[in-house]
């Protein structure tokens, strides 16, 4: 399977949802397959053909869960169609369907970037607290996954979780002494122009995590406020920018550049470290390091339902999500380390995962991750409004003219 990829608090997110519900996309009542008004039944009147859009690479973790549900519940979902898209294209796709009063996408699987963009535009139905009693697995979230769920406000449901990064990845044969502080990273970039790289944050988990992790590493005034609290971060990124040739539009290209030697040090995460080595995109001998002052900036994938989806579609998706949040299904989220560890609920061990996942993590996982996860603070990402502001400023002041398609 390919590696098509892929974040403050509940009050801020809830406030934003209230504002955008009033001024965002219309709350369409038509949609394909029936009216979206009224009560949502426990089961659709007839099985629905469900169209799922993935903008986060989440299907790599969850498609097995979804396919099993469809196989076991043909009276709920008759068939499922999968499509994938880059996260920056999500808003345009959904708004076009809503404006045409024909919402054919019943479920979106998204990272924090797409979640935030959709909240900003008022695209998602509120699933909580109205349907929380149907989603009993949410009461069993891991503590950091529960914190990530607060970030979603009422719109999204956390389906997978990982501590993420920011980490730096390198090949020992190329970088004998990797940078272990922000100053050392900057010095390395200055001494090796074009050899330090991260992808555009709005379309890259490692790029986004690097952006949000720097305020902790640099000791900035307010790591949750990219507008007024990131003076050190923006100054650092501008200085680093002098030695960056270009920013790829997605993470995969940075991994390929690391493997072919055109870059030496790239932003990474636990999953982006493990999975490309499993797939052979990056040599197995690649190593990772963290920077002094490092905090984990956690990450999650969410399920959201666009406004305008029919009541039958909503009923089918809610039943599907309840199934996906059971421990048995969550064990599949270990996958090949793409979102390591992956499960969002408690009580799911690697020994519960499919044998293929157990083998991949045994051969390509890192024993040091256990202590790194246990011994470093975890922080939720920026809330929706702040994340959009951070992406916008980065695009204008850092990446302008330097973002290139792979």
């Amino acid at each position: 399977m390919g590696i098509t990829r892929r974040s403050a608090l509940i009050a801020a997110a809830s406030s934003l949802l209230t504002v955008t519900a009033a001024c965002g996309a219309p709350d369409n009542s038509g949609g394909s397959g029936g009216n979206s008004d009224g009560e949502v039944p426990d089961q659709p009147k007839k099985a629905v053909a469900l169209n799922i859009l993935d903008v986060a690479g989440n299907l790599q973790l969850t498609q097995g869960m979804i396919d099993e549900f469809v196989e076991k519940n043909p009276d709920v979902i008759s068939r499922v169609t999968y499509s994938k898209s880059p996260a920056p294209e999500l808003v345009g796709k959904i708004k076009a369907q809503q404006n045409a009063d024909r919402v054919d996408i019943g479920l979106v699987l998204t990272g924090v970037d797409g979640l935030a963009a959709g909240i900003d535009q008022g695209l998602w139905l509120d699933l909580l607290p109205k349907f929380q009693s149907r989603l009993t697995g949410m009461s069993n979230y891991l503590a950091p996954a529960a914190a990530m769920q607060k970030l979603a406000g009422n719109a999204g449901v956390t389906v997978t979780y990982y501590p993420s990064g920011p980490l730096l990845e390198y090949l020992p044969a190329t970088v004998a002494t990797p940078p272990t502080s922000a100053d050392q990273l900057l010095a390395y970039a200055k001494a090796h122009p074009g050899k330090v790289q991260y992808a555009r944050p709005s379309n890259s988990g490692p790029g986004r995590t690097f952006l949000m992790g720097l305020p902790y590493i640099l000791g900035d005034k307010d790591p949750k406020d990219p507008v007024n609290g990131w003076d050190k971060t923006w100054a650092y990124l501008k200085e680093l920018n002098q030695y960056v040739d270009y920013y790829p539009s997605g993470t995969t290209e940075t991994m390929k550049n690391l493997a072919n030697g055109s870059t030496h040090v790239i932003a990474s995460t636990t999953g982006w470290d493990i999975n490309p080595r499993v797939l052979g995109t990056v040599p197995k001998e690649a190593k990772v390091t963290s920077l002094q002052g490092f905090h984990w900036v956690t990450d999650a994938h969410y399920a959201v339902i666009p406004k305008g989806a029919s009541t039958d579609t909503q009923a089918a998706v809610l039943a599907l999500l309840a199934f996906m949040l059971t421990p048995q299904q969550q064990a599949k989220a270990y996958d090949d380390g793409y979102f390591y560890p992956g499960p969002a609920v408690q009580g799911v061990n690697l020994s519960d995962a499919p044998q293929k996942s157990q083998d991949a993590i045994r051969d390509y996982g890192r024993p040091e991750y256990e202590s790194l996860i246990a011994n470093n603070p975890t922080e939720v990402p920026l809330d929706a409004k702040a994340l959009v502001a951070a992406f916008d400023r980065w695009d204008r002041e850092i990446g302008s003219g330097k973002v290139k398609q792979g």
Side-chain angles (χ1 to χ4, degrees):
M1 187 177 296
I3 49 176
T4 302
R5 299 298 207 220
R6 50 195 161 339
S7 222
L9 301 172
I10 187 168
S14 298
S15 174
L16 179 64
L17 282 163
T18 301
V19 173
T20 53
C23 64
D27 189 357
N28 300 308
S29 60
S32 59
N35 200 306
S36 67
D37 294 335
E39 292 301 314
V40 177
D42 291 335
Q43 183 167 324
K45 295 177 182 177
K46 64 177 182 178
V48 303
L50 181 63
N51 296 319
I52 298 177
L53 174 63
D54 176 20
V55 299
N58 179 261
L59 286 172
Q60 187 162 324
L61 312 174
T62 60
Q63 186 170 340
M65 308 177 196
I66 298 167
D67 288 345
E68 183 174 337
F69 179 86
V70 174
E71 180 182 353
K72 291 181 174 179
N73 298 274
D75 55 335
V76 178
I77 298 177
S78 59
R79 63 181 174 85
V80 60
T81 300
Y82 299 110
S83 59
K84 300 178 182 181
S85 176
E89 297 178 8
L90 173 61
V91 167
K93 285 180 181 290
I94 299 300
K95 288 183 74 172
Q97 291 192 6
Q98 290 175 336
N99 290 338
D101 198 23
R102 181 174 177 79
V103 177
D104 293 327
I105 296 170
L107 171 62
V108 176
L109 299 170
T110 179
V112 190
D113 41 9
L115 171 76
I119 289 174
D120 189 52
Q121 296 292 315
L123 303 185
W124 315 132
L125 286 171
D126 281 358
L127 302 181
L128 306 172
K130 182 176 182 180
F131 300 117
Q132 192 152 352
S133 62
R134 301 193 195 186
L135 304 172
T136 55
M138 294 183 70
S139 64
N140 194 37
Y141 279 144
L142 296 163
M148 292 298 296
Q149 178 57 42
K150 290 181 180 179
L151 190 68
N154 295 330
V157 173
T158 302
V159 291
T160 49
Y161 158 80
Y162 84 133
S164 191
L167 302 171
L168 298 179
E169 190 164 354
Y170 63 97
L171 298 181
T174 304
V175 183
T177 305
T180 57
S181 71
D183 286 343
Q184 289 178 13
L185 178 61
L186 196 60
Y188 188 91
K190 184 176 182 179
H192 304 84
K195 301 303 183 183
V196 173
Q197 190 174 72
Y198 63 100
R200 182 189 183 197
S202 63
N203 196 36
S204 167
R208 179 172 69 247
T209 307
F210 179 67
L211 176 66
M212 291 186 290
L214 275 176
Y216 298 99
I217 292 167
L218 297 172
D220 235 328
K221 182 172 63 176
D222 186 353
K224 293 294 194 291
D225 185 356
V227 177
N228 300 306
W230 282 21
D231 290 349
K232 294 178 181 179
T233 296
W234 293 119
Y236 183 90
L237 289 170
K238 288 176 182 178
E239 190 170 357
L240 180 63
N241 184 55
Q242 299 176 70
Y243 315 114
V244 175
D245 288 343
Y246 76 100
Y247 301 94
S249 60
T251 314
T252 299
E253 186 178 349
T254 69
M255 294 290 158
K256 293 178 178 178
N257 291 343
L258 179 67
N260 66 30
S262 59
T263 60
H264 295 172
V265 179
I266 62 171
S268 193
T269 64
T270 58
W272 273 101
D273 160 41
I274 296 173
N275 189 243
R277 291 187 297 118
V278 172
L279 298 175
T281 307
V282 172
K284 185 177 182 179
E285 62 268 21
K287 298 292 185 182
V288 295
T289 186
S290 58
L291 298 179
Q292 183 179 346
F294 155 77
H295 290 210
W296 293 104
V297 179
T298 58
D299 203 356
H301 286 160
Y302 301 91
V304 294
I305 301 177
K307 291 179 179 179
S310 70
T311 52
D312 276 353
T313 295
Q314 294 177 51
V317 170
L318 290 167
L320 170 62
L321 294 180
F323 179 81
M324 292 171 64
L325 289 176
T326 61
Q328 181 183 9
Q329 296 303 314
Q330 283 283 296
K332 296 176 181 176
Y334 278 101
D335 183 58
D336 289 341
Y338 161 52
F339 214 62
Y340 181 81
V345 303
Q346 302 178 59
V348 183
N349 301 310
L350 181 59
S351 59
D352 302 318
Q355 189 61 47
K356 180 174 180 288
S357 297
Q358 295 185 45
D359 293 344
I361 302 305
R362 182 193 65 232
D363 293 342
Y364 293 89
R366 298 193 189 275
E368 61 263 37
Y369 278 152
E370 185 174 348
S371 61
L372 271 176
I373 292 171
N375 297 326
N376 288 279
T378 60
E379 310 287 348
V380 295
L382 299 176
D383 65 52
K385 184 176 182 180
L387 187 60
V388 170
F391 287 164
D392 178 67
R393 183 164 177 178
W394 187 93
D395 284 343
R396 287 185 288 106
E397 297 186 7
I398 309 299
S400 180
K402 278 190 163 184
V403 175
K404 297 182 181 178
Q405 298 291 333

